[in-house]
Amino acid sequence: MAGTSPWADAVPAEWWERLAARLIEALVFGIVYYILFIALWAVFRTVGMMDVFDGRLPGVFAWAAAGLGYTGYDWWAHWRHGRTFGKAIMRIRLEPRGVPARALLKRSLVYPGPVVLMGIPVANLVAGMLLFGVGMLILIDKPLERGPHDRLAGTRVVKDLR
């Protein structure tokens, strides 16, 4: 039928399911960040670079590396499997299936991409506000509950009822 949505029969994921999925991933992301931070702190201290940026350099690099890793993982997992491990645990997924990799990359760069900036003073405030704003837009977008990253990619997060 012309004009029907590709997810007309899909049940949208609740906001708390999406939040729980991201929190599960944030826990793993945090562990990776702290491992990177400790390793970089040791390296920078050994080579005498701890005074650069008032000792913030290991944190900046750790956030950037972990943020790039998380953004890359988010893109790859949605492209290959239609969901991340957090979404799999919460039994939700991305619709429609078969979204082009380029569209999913744009989606990942909008959210969670700004995490890369979280280690940079002042930029972290802007990134945090952007990420908070994405979450708020999901809450107020009724009935589809899509954030700007979903709209950009033409996707929606739905319950995985299989």
Side-chain angles (χ1 to χ4, degrees):
M1 245 175 17
T4 58
S5 170
W7 49 71
D9 297 330
V11 178
E14 300 288 333
W15 68 269
W16 62 268
E17 292 171 313
R18 293 180 75 167
L19 178 61
R22 287 291 183 183
L23 289 175
I24 291 166
E25 293 163 10
L27 177 64
V28 173
F29 168 78
I31 292 168
V32 169
Y33 162 76
Y34 281 111
I35 291 169
L36 281 169
F37 176 80
I38 291 166
L40 288 169
W41 182 84
V43 168
F44 290 152
R45 184 178 169 111
T46 302
V47 297
M49 292 181 59
M50 279 304 292
D51 293 333
V52 179
F53 298 114
D54 295 326
R56 292 188 181 124
L57 197 57
V60 170
F61 277 106
W63 268 110
L68 281 172
Y70 184 38
T71 302
Y73 166 74
D74 187 82
W75 166 76
W76 177 83
H78 285 116
W79 177 57
R80 297 290 293 166
H81 308 290
R83 61 186 176 184
T84 59
F85 69 87
K87 283 184 177 76
I89 291 168
M90 294 306 299
R91 298 183 48 107
I92 58 179
R93 64 180 163 77
L94 214 55
E95 269 296 305
R97 296 186 185 162
V99 176
R102 183 179 215 151
L104 291 173
L105 179 60
K106 290 177 189 175
R107 182 184 192 277
S108 294
L109 289 173
V110 171
Y111 188 78
V115 168
V116 172
L117 303 174
M118 295 297 273
I120 304 170
V122 180
N124 62 358
L125 296 173
V126 175
M129 288 188 292
L130 178 63
L131 294 173
F132 180 78
V134 167
M136 293 307 295
L137 288 171
I138 291 168
L139 285 175
I140 63 173
D141 183 47
K142 300 293 181 194
L144 296 179
E145 300 179 18
R146 295 168 67 197
H149 58 305
D150 293 313
R151 291 184 176 281
L152 184 63
T155 60
R156 182 172 177 206
V157 180
V158 299
K159 292 182 187 264
D160 191 359
L161 303 174
R162 296 183 272 162

